[in-house]
Amino acid sequence: MADRVWVLGVPVDRVSTAEALGIIESWLNGTGPHLVFTPNAEIIARAQDNRDLKQALAQADLTVPDGIGVVLAARLLGAPVPERVPGIELLEELMARAAQRGDKVFFFGGRPGIAEEAARRLKARWPSLRVVGTQHGYFQKEEEGAILEAIDRAAPDILVVALGAPKQELWLTAHRGRLAAKVALGVGGSLDVMAGQVKRAPSAFRRLGLEWFYRLLSQPSRWRRGLQLPRFLLLVLGEILARRGTKR
Ligand code: UDP
């Protein structure tokens, strides 16, 4: 297993997208469930006030550095990661491989119709992709048993959970003991992107590490969440100063 850097109490695996895919593929050849999360600066900042989220992230089998904030923090902490691993890119590449390998996939999350539309578009791109089930993410507590049974029956190799953070991390950690999947990933709003409902930033923004800024511009209702990024950086700087202080 690749080594990890701990960022404000959250482990981040120092992997590239290709390495993360290799690890996931090895799990697909065995038994599960293995949990994969994609913490970005906002999620790690939120984990500071949400102990359950922090614990869930700490118990994951793989956490990839999603976003420029985490890449920067790892560098400042003296344990750089190879590259930014956006959850959406990891998921897209995983779907391409799943189509080739014949892995069964279940999509769980998003508003009603989103998982189906994401599945339809993915199948148009990779006709051999085996989507064995879909379920929207706006369910009542008492419906959870039926959802778990539907996942059991479908017995997917890959369970894609897009309930947003922290819901997806808490849900997956709470049910890990009885999940039929070999690998389960928490992927935030990725199904919305795959269903064509939300556009990713143009490549110039991505290259410059400004995807978060584009999101703020295109979805102004997220500005409150955007404040978590400067908070995250301040907390990381605080941690570095505290470490220096204890070294002296
Ligand atoms: N969502 C859901 N159930 C909920 C709350 C949210 O399925 O109870 C979905 C929502 O429709 C969206 C995703 O979770 O598709 C969260 O998207 P967001 O962009 O907020 O993801 P994040 O930034 O948290 O990763």
Side-chain angles (χ1 to χ4, degrees):
M1 184 62 190
D3 61 337
R4 316 185 116 180
V5 50
W6 287 78
V7 181
L8 303 176
V10 170
V12 176
D13 289 301
R14 299 174 65 199
V15 291
S16 63
T17 305
E19 286 164 344
L21 284 167
I23 293 167
I24 293 174
E25 212 165 301
S26 73
W27 291 336
L28 288 170
N29 295 330
T31 54
H34 290 91
L35 302 191
V36 181
F37 296 136
T38 67
N40 57 19
E42 183 196 328
I43 294 176
I44 296 179
R46 286 170 75 183
Q48 306 310 304
D49 333 300
N50 184 334
R51 202 195 314 186
D52 293 339
L53 173 59
K54 204 182 214 177
Q55 274 177 5
L57 290 164
Q59 287 167 28
D61 298 293
L62 180 66
T63 48
V64 300
D66 183 348
I68 193 70
V70 179
V71 172
L72 206 64
R75 197 182 303 158
L76 290 171
L77 289 163
V81 295
E83 62 180 359
R84 199 163 67 91
V85 183
I88 179 75
E89 283 174 25
L90 182 67
L91 185 59
E92 279 182 349
E93 299 212 14
L94 184 61
M95 292 300 100
R97 289 204 190 188
Q100 262 177 11
R101 292 169 39 99
D103 297 317
K104 293 180 283 173
V105 185
F106 192 112
F107 293 123
F108 174 25
R111 295 184 311 280
I114 291 289
E116 289 78 7
E117 178 60 15
R120 197 186 62 73
R121 290 185 179 221
L122 287 171
K123 280 183 75 73
R125 205 159 144 197
W126 297 295
S128 61
L129 187 68
R130 295 169 70 193
V131 181
V132 291
T134 53
Q135 163 66 43
H136 69 75
Y138 292 84
F139 52 89
Q140 304 296 319
K141 189 99 192 105
E142 54 274 18
E143 293 172 279
E144 271 187 4
I147 294 174
L148 284 162
E149 277 162 29
I151 297 171
D152 280 350
R153 275 195 305 277
D157 297 299
I158 303 171
L159 174 63
V160 177
V161 181
L163 300 173
K167 199 169 173 183
Q168 63 208 3
E169 288 82 4
L170 300 181
W171 194 90
L172 279 169
T173 304
H175 299 296
R176 125 177 247 154
R178 62 147 302 171
L179 283 179
K182 291 183 185 164
V183 175
L185 303 95
V187 297
S190 294
L191 287 183
D192 290 332
V193 177
M194 287 179 154
Q197 300 291 306
V198 172
K199 280 214 170 18
R200 279 196 76 194
S203 58
F205 279 81
R206 292 190 218 164
R207 266 201 311 278
L208 293 169
L210 290 175
E211 189 151 17
W212 59 274
F213 183 61
Y214 178 84
R215 271 211 192 177
L216 273 186
L217 291 182
S218 57
Q219 293 170 274
S221 57
R222 297 174 77 105
W223 72 270
R224 228 175 230 291
R225 298 173 50 170
L227 290 179
Q228 295 281 5
L229 187 67
R231 179 181 170 221
F232 170 81
L233 290 173
L234 284 175
L235 288 170
V236 170
L237 288 175
E239 184 167 302
I240 290 164
L241 290 176
R243 282 191 194 182
R244 288 214 179 130
T246 52
K247 266 193 204 153
R248 263 193 219 126

